Amino acid sequence: MPHVARSITRSAVALAALAAVTAFSFGGWATISVEDVPESLRVGQPTTFRFTIRQHGIEPLEGLNPSLAIRSADGKSVVAAAASPDGAKGRYASTFTIPRSGDWRVTINSGFGPSKLTLLPIAANATGVSLAAMTDTERGKHLFVAKGCVGCHIHRAVDERPPADMGAPELTSKAFDNGYLALWLANPRIRPATKGGPEMPNPQLSQKEIAPLVAFISSQGRATASK
Ligand code: HEC
């Protein structure tokens, strides 16, 4: 009875679509965190992005169909790429090739409700080597987006915003001791969670990501570079 099977499939699809729409309002949001964000891209050469999708910034989500859309600065070219599971639970990889030089913005659609992430522009050129190396502060700004901090925190130096109020403090003009900040980013359990608020999940950063993030947060948005 194939028609029965088909209608079951169809209602399952309808239910899934409904779940995707309602998931968000019931807290079904996810953060996206990219590994080894490149400082530049090489024209005509495949680049692979690896990223992890975590529900509420915590639980890795498997079985999703994420996709990438990489747009040129003038918005005239869009490179589309699918992503597939990559080893660890909730980790995906996507490979794409940039057709010409210029600045490109990568958007990762999680495939989990409307949760998505658009990175800051990355320059593509013939060599794939960034001509002027980024300062720690600039790199930290890129990482603040790419590591998914923007999924919970507002920082006015970047345009990505949390989808709703996540109970996380705005970080635009917050001042911290740099040593404390580095310890916090390595493990937010160094102090008890603020009473009545959510805990910050461990953002799973590497040491080489922590120093630039500290530099960026400590700059309190005074960094002028546009990327
Ligand atoms: C899933 C949501 C979430 C994500 C993702 C997240 N944070 Fe947080 N963050 C929080 C919450 C909630 C608090 C408040 C915790 C508390 O006070 O107990 C917080 C607090 C902070 C603080 C203040 C610490 C203090 O002692 O006042 C800093 C700095 C911070 N986060 C930086 C980051 C950075 C950088 C990233 C990305 C690498 C990040 N956060 C990712 C939720 C998040």
Short mmCIF file of all heavy atoms in Angstrom, two decimals, residues 29 31 56-57 144 147-149 152-153 166-169 171 176 180-181 184-185 191-194 198-201 203 205 213 217, ligand 1:
data_model
loop_
_atom_site.label_atom_id
_atom_site.label_comp_id
_atom_site.label_asym_id
_atom_site.label_seq_id
_atom_site.Cartn_x
_atom_site.Cartn_y
_atom_site.Cartn_z
N TRP A 29 16.91 26.24 20.17
CA TRP A 29 17.91 26.97 19.39
C TRP A 29 19.26 26.31 19.55
O TRP A 29 19.49 25.57 20.51
CB TRP A 29 17.97 28.44 19.81
CG TRP A 29 18.14 28.60 21.29
CD1 TRP A 29 17.16 28.57 22.24
CD2 TRP A 29 19.38 28.78 22.00
NE1 TRP A 29 17.71 28.71 23.48
CE2 TRP A 29 19.06 28.86 23.37
CE3 TRP A 29 20.71 28.90 21.60
CZ2 TRP A 29 20.03 29.04 24.35
CZ3 TRP A 29 21.68 29.08 22.58
CH2 TRP A 29 21.33 29.15 23.94
N THR A 31 23.70 26.71 18.91
CA THR A 31 24.85 27.53 18.56
C THR A 31 25.72 26.76 17.56
O THR A 31 25.69 25.53 17.53
CB THR A 31 25.71 27.88 19.79
OG1 THR A 31 26.11 26.67 20.42
CG2 THR A 31 24.94 28.74 20.77
N HIS A 56 21.28 24.69 22.56
CA HIS A 56 21.47 25.55 23.73
C HIS A 56 22.95 25.74 24.06
O HIS A 56 23.31 25.99 25.20
CB HIS A 56 20.74 24.99 24.96
CG HIS A 56 19.27 24.82 24.73
ND1 HIS A 56 18.46 24.08 25.55
CD2 HIS A 56 18.47 25.30 23.77
CE1 HIS A 56 17.21 24.11 25.10
NE2 HIS A 56 17.19 24.85 24.02
N GLY A 57 23.80 25.57 23.04
CA GLY A 57 25.23 25.73 23.27
C GLY A 57 25.85 24.56 24.01
O GLY A 57 27.02 24.60 24.37
N PHE A 144 34.90 35.71 17.85
CA PHE A 144 33.71 35.97 18.66
C PHE A 144 32.45 35.57 17.88
O PHE A 144 31.48 35.07 18.45
CB PHE A 144 33.65 37.46 19.05
CG PHE A 144 32.64 37.76 20.11
CD1 PHE A 144 32.94 37.53 21.45
CD2 PHE A 144 31.37 38.24 19.79
CE1 PHE A 144 31.99 37.78 22.44
CE2 PHE A 144 30.43 38.49 20.78
CZ PHE A 144 30.74 38.27 22.11
N LYS A 147 33.05 31.33 16.80
CA LYS A 147 32.93 30.35 17.87
C LYS A 147 31.53 30.34 18.48
O LYS A 147 31.27 29.63 19.45
CB LYS A 147 33.97 30.59 18.97
CG LYS A 147 35.43 30.55 18.53
CD LYS A 147 35.81 29.39 17.65
CE LYS A 147 35.90 28.06 18.32
NZ LYS A 147 36.46 27.02 17.39
N GLY A 148 30.65 31.17 17.94
CA GLY A 148 29.25 31.11 18.39
C GLY A 148 28.93 31.93 19.62
O GLY A 148 27.83 31.82 20.17
N CYS A 149 29.87 32.78 20.09
CA CYS A 149 29.59 33.64 21.25
C CYS A 149 28.37 34.51 20.96
O CYS A 149 27.57 34.81 21.86
CB CYS A 149 30.79 34.54 21.58
SG CYS A 149 32.39 33.70 21.52
N CYS A 152 24.66 33.93 22.03
CA CYS A 152 24.14 34.26 23.37
C CYS A 152 24.44 35.70 23.78
O CYS A 152 23.66 36.29 24.52
CB CYS A 152 24.74 33.32 24.41
SG CYS A 152 24.23 31.60 24.21
N HIS A 153 25.59 36.23 23.35
CA HIS A 153 26.03 37.55 23.81
C HIS A 153 25.86 38.62 22.74
O HIS A 153 26.21 38.38 21.57
CB HIS A 153 27.52 37.53 24.16
CG HIS A 153 27.86 36.72 25.36
ND1 HIS A 153 27.64 37.17 26.65
CD2 HIS A 153 28.41 35.49 25.49
CE1 HIS A 153 28.06 36.24 27.51
NE2 HIS A 153 28.52 35.21 26.84
N MET A 166 19.25 35.46 25.92
CA MET A 166 19.73 34.19 26.45
C MET A 166 20.16 34.31 27.91
O MET A 166 20.75 33.39 28.46
CB MET A 166 20.92 33.68 25.63
CG MET A 166 20.62 33.51 24.16
SD MET A 166 19.31 32.29 23.94
CE MET A 166 19.10 32.38 22.16
N GLY A 167 19.95 35.47 28.52
CA GLY A 167 20.36 35.65 29.91
C GLY A 167 21.86 35.82 30.04
O GLY A 167 22.42 35.70 31.14
N ALA A 168 22.53 36.08 28.92
CA ALA A 168 23.99 36.28 28.94
C ALA A 168 24.26 37.79 28.90
O ALA A 168 23.55 38.52 28.22
CB ALA A 168 24.62 35.59 27.74
N PRO A 169 25.27 38.26 29.63
CA PRO A 169 25.51 39.70 29.67
C PRO A 169 25.99 40.25 28.32
O PRO A 169 26.68 39.56 27.58
CB PRO A 169 26.62 39.85 30.72
CG PRO A 169 27.30 38.52 30.77
CD PRO A 169 26.24 37.50 30.45
N LEU A 171 28.50 42.21 26.18
CA LEU A 171 29.95 42.31 26.44
C LEU A 171 30.60 43.53 25.79
O LEU A 171 31.81 43.71 25.89
CB LEU A 171 30.65 41.04 25.97
CG LEU A 171 30.25 39.75 26.71
CD1 LEU A 171 30.91 38.53 26.09
CD2 LEU A 171 30.59 39.84 28.21
N PHE A 176 37.30 43.35 32.04
CA PHE A 176 37.67 42.20 32.87
C PHE A 176 39.18 42.21 33.04
O PHE A 176 39.90 42.78 32.22
CB PHE A 176 37.30 40.87 32.19
CG PHE A 176 35.84 40.70 31.93
CD1 PHE A 176 35.28 41.09 30.72
CD2 PHE A 176 35.01 40.13 32.89
CE1 PHE A 176 33.93 40.93 30.47
CE2 PHE A 176 33.65 39.96 32.65
CZ PHE A 176 33.11 40.36 31.44
N TYR A 180 41.81 36.63 34.37
CA TYR A 180 40.53 36.03 34.73
C TYR A 180 39.76 35.60 33.48
O TYR A 180 39.21 34.50 33.40
CB TYR A 180 39.69 37.02 35.55
CG TYR A 180 38.25 36.59 35.71
CD1 TYR A 180 37.90 35.60 36.63
CD2 TYR A 180 37.25 37.14 34.91
CE1 TYR A 180 36.59 35.17 36.74
CE2 TYR A 180 35.93 36.72 35.02
CZ TYR A 180 35.60 35.73 35.93
OH TYR A 180 34.31 35.31 36.03
N LEU A 181 39.75 36.50 32.50
CA LEU A 181 39.01 36.23 31.26
C LEU A 181 39.52 34.96 30.57
O LEU A 181 38.73 34.13 30.10
CB LEU A 181 39.16 37.44 30.33
CG LEU A 181 38.12 37.65 29.25
CD1 LEU A 181 36.71 37.53 29.79
CD2 LEU A 181 38.32 39.03 28.61
N TRP A 184 38.28 32.03 32.50
CA TRP A 184 36.82 31.88 32.29
C TRP A 184 36.54 31.21 30.95
O TRP A 184 35.72 30.30 30.84
CB TRP A 184 36.16 33.26 32.35
CG TRP A 184 34.72 33.26 31.95
CD1 TRP A 184 34.21 33.54 30.70
CD2 TRP A 184 33.58 32.97 32.78
NE1 TRP A 184 32.85 33.43 30.72
CE2 TRP A 184 32.43 33.09 31.97
CE3 TRP A 184 33.44 32.63 34.12
CZ2 TRP A 184 31.15 32.88 32.47
CZ3 TRP A 184 32.15 32.41 34.62
CH2 TRP A 184 31.03 32.54 33.80
N LEU A 185 37.25 31.65 29.91
CA LEU A 185 36.97 31.11 28.57
C LEU A 185 37.43 29.66 28.47
O LEU A 185 36.87 28.87 27.71
CB LEU A 185 37.63 31.97 27.49
CG LEU A 185 37.02 33.37 27.37
CD1 LEU A 185 37.75 34.18 26.30
CD2 LEU A 185 35.53 33.31 27.07
N ARG A 191 33.90 29.84 38.60
CA ARG A 191 33.13 30.46 39.69
C ARG A 191 31.70 29.94 39.60
O ARG A 191 31.28 29.47 38.53
CB ARG A 191 33.17 31.99 39.58
CG ARG A 191 32.46 32.56 38.35
CD ARG A 191 32.09 34.01 38.59
NE ARG A 191 31.60 34.71 37.41
CZ ARG A 191 30.36 34.60 36.94
NH1 ARG A 191 29.50 33.77 37.49
NH2 ARG A 191 30.00 35.31 35.89
N PRO A 192 30.95 30.02 40.71
CA PRO A 192 29.56 29.57 40.64
C PRO A 192 28.77 30.46 39.68
O PRO A 192 29.09 31.64 39.54
CB PRO A 192 29.04 29.75 42.07
CG PRO A 192 30.23 30.07 42.92
CD PRO A 192 31.32 30.55 42.02
N ALA A 193 27.76 29.89 39.03
CA ALA A 193 26.93 30.67 38.11
C ALA A 193 26.21 31.78 38.87
O ALA A 193 25.91 31.63 40.05
CB ALA A 193 25.92 29.75 37.43
N THR A 194 25.98 32.90 38.20
CA THR A 194 25.23 34.00 38.80
C THR A 194 23.85 33.49 39.21
O THR A 194 23.16 32.82 38.43
CB THR A 194 25.08 35.15 37.79
OG1 THR A 194 26.40 35.55 37.39
CG2 THR A 194 24.35 36.33 38.37
N PRO A 198 21.20 31.54 33.78
CA PRO A 198 21.74 30.30 33.20
C PRO A 198 23.25 30.25 33.36
O PRO A 198 23.90 31.28 33.55
CB PRO A 198 21.36 30.42 31.72
CG PRO A 198 21.21 31.88 31.46
CD PRO A 198 20.82 32.53 32.76
N GLU A 199 23.82 29.06 33.27
CA GLU A 199 25.28 28.91 33.27
C GLU A 199 25.79 29.11 31.86
O GLU A 199 25.09 28.82 30.90
CB GLU A 199 25.66 27.49 33.70
CG GLU A 199 25.38 27.20 35.14
CD GLU A 199 26.00 25.87 35.56
OE1 GLU A 199 26.30 25.04 34.68
OE2 GLU A 199 26.16 25.67 36.77
N MET A 200 27.01 29.56 31.74
CA MET A 200 27.62 29.57 30.40
C MET A 200 28.24 28.21 30.14
O MET A 200 29.05 27.73 30.94
CB MET A 200 28.69 30.66 30.31
CG MET A 200 29.49 30.55 29.02
SD MET A 200 30.35 32.05 28.60
CE MET A 200 31.84 31.39 27.86
N PRO A 201 27.84 27.55 29.03
CA PRO A 201 28.48 26.26 28.72
C PRO A 201 29.95 26.47 28.36
O PRO A 201 30.32 27.54 27.90
CB PRO A 201 27.70 25.75 27.51
CG PRO A 201 26.81 26.84 27.05
CD PRO A 201 26.84 27.95 28.04
N PRO A 203 32.84 26.84 26.19
CA PRO A 203 32.85 27.09 24.74
C PRO A 203 33.87 26.25 23.96
O PRO A 203 33.96 26.38 22.76
CB PRO A 203 33.18 28.58 24.64
CG PRO A 203 33.91 28.91 25.90
CD PRO A 203 33.44 27.95 26.96
N LEU A 205 37.21 26.00 23.62
CA LEU A 205 38.18 26.75 22.83
C LEU A 205 39.57 26.15 22.97
O LEU A 205 39.89 25.52 23.98
CB LEU A 205 38.22 28.20 23.31
CG LEU A 205 36.88 28.95 23.27
CD1 LEU A 205 37.00 30.25 24.06
CD2 LEU A 205 36.45 29.22 21.84
N LEU A 213 40.56 36.19 21.69
CA LEU A 213 39.24 36.54 22.24
C LEU A 213 39.39 37.49 23.43
O LEU A 213 38.63 38.45 23.57
CB LEU A 213 38.47 35.28 22.66
CG LEU A 213 37.76 34.55 21.51
CD1 LEU A 213 37.34 33.15 21.92
CD2 LEU A 213 36.55 35.35 21.02
N ILE A 217 37.76 41.23 23.54
CA ILE A 217 36.83 41.66 24.59
C ILE A 217 37.43 42.83 25.37
O ILE A 217 36.74 43.81 25.67
CB ILE A 217 36.45 40.48 25.52
CG1 ILE A 217 35.65 39.45 24.72
CG2 ILE A 217 35.64 40.96 26.72
CD1 ILE A 217 35.46 38.11 25.43
C1 HEC B 1 24.89 29.23 25.27
C2 HEC B 1 25.06 30.62 25.61
C3 HEC B 1 26.46 31.18 25.70
C4 HEC B 1 27.48 31.09 24.77
C5 HEC B 1 27.46 30.35 23.43
C6 HEC B 1 28.57 31.88 25.29
N1 HEC B 1 28.24 32.41 26.49
FE1 HEC B 1 29.38 33.67 27.62
N2 HEC B 1 27.96 33.68 29.07
C7 HEC B 1 26.73 33.06 28.99
C8 HEC B 1 26.02 33.26 30.24
C9 HEC B 1 24.64 32.73 30.56
C10 HEC B 1 26.85 34.04 31.06
C11 HEC B 1 26.59 34.49 32.50
C12 HEC B 1 27.10 33.40 33.41
C13 HEC B 1 27.11 33.76 34.86
O1 HEC B 1 27.18 34.96 35.21
O2 HEC B 1 27.09 32.84 35.67
C14 HEC B 1 28.06 34.31 30.29
C15 HEC B 1 29.13 35.08 30.73
C16 HEC B 1 30.22 35.46 29.97
C17 HEC B 1 31.24 36.39 30.38
C18 HEC B 1 31.27 37.16 31.69
C19 HEC B 1 32.03 36.41 32.75
C20 HEC B 1 31.94 37.10 34.10
O3 HEC B 1 32.60 36.59 35.04
O4 HEC B 1 31.25 38.10 34.25
C21 HEC B 1 32.13 36.47 29.35
C22 HEC B 1 33.38 37.33 29.28
C23 HEC B 1 31.68 35.58 28.30
N3 HEC B 1 30.52 34.97 28.71
C24 HEC B 1 32.32 35.38 27.10
C25 HEC B 1 31.91 34.46 26.11
C26 HEC B 1 32.65 34.18 24.90
C27 HEC B 1 33.94 34.87 24.47
C28 HEC B 1 31.95 33.22 24.23
C29 HEC B 1 32.32 32.53 22.93
C30 HEC B 1 33.59 31.84 22.92
C31 HEC B 1 30.76 32.93 25.01
N4 HEC B 1 30.78 33.69 26.15
C32 HEC B 1 29.78 32.02 24.64
C33 HEC B 1 26.24 32.33 27.92
C34 HEC B 1 26.95 32.01 26.78
#
